[in-house]
Amino acid sequence: MEPPTAEIISPENGTTINRNDNYRIEVDAFDNNSIERVEFYANGQLIGEDTELPYELNWDVKSMGVTGRTNIFVKAYDNEGQTAAHVTAVHIK
């Protein structure tokens, strides 16, 4: 029983995103068995999940109404209930 791994591939830490855009969040998640799902959060708010490769989400940035520093957090769950997480910070203008 090994825990999964998760890493945000895009956006990279420090990326500037236009608040009127949709932005694709891409995650590399791996487990020795299988990944059940990946949850996507922005500033602590669940914005979606994906259950199939490639793990990604089209984020409607405008709908959040945020500007400035924003933390994107992902959490991957494997089929044994173990988790992995990764966070990156972006700037929304």
Side-chain angles (χ1 to χ4, degrees), residues 20-31:
N20 293 316
D21 288 346
N22 284 337
Y23 195 91
R24 184 181 309 259
I25 302 171
E26 300 173 3
V27 174
D28 183 18
F30 175 78
D31 188 66

Side-chain angles (χ1 to χ4, degrees), residues 36-88:
E36 183 178 286
R37 73 181 183 281
V38 176
E39 295 177 341
F40 297 79
Y41 297 83
N43 286 344
Q45 178 182 340
L46 180 65
I47 56 174
E49 67 178 46
D50 195 358
T51 58
E52 296 179 6
L53 281 168
Y55 302 108
E56 57 190 17
L57 176 78
N58 286 323
W59 178 28
D60 181 1
V61 180
K62 186 176 185 176
S63 70
M64 286 201 64
V66 296
T67 58
R69 181 185 166 104
T70 300
N71 288 323
I72 297 172
F73 173 81
V74 297
K75 190 171 185 180
Y77 295 81
D78 70 10
N79 62 341
E80 297 172 330
Q82 299 180 93
T83 63
H86 190 244
V87 66
T88 192

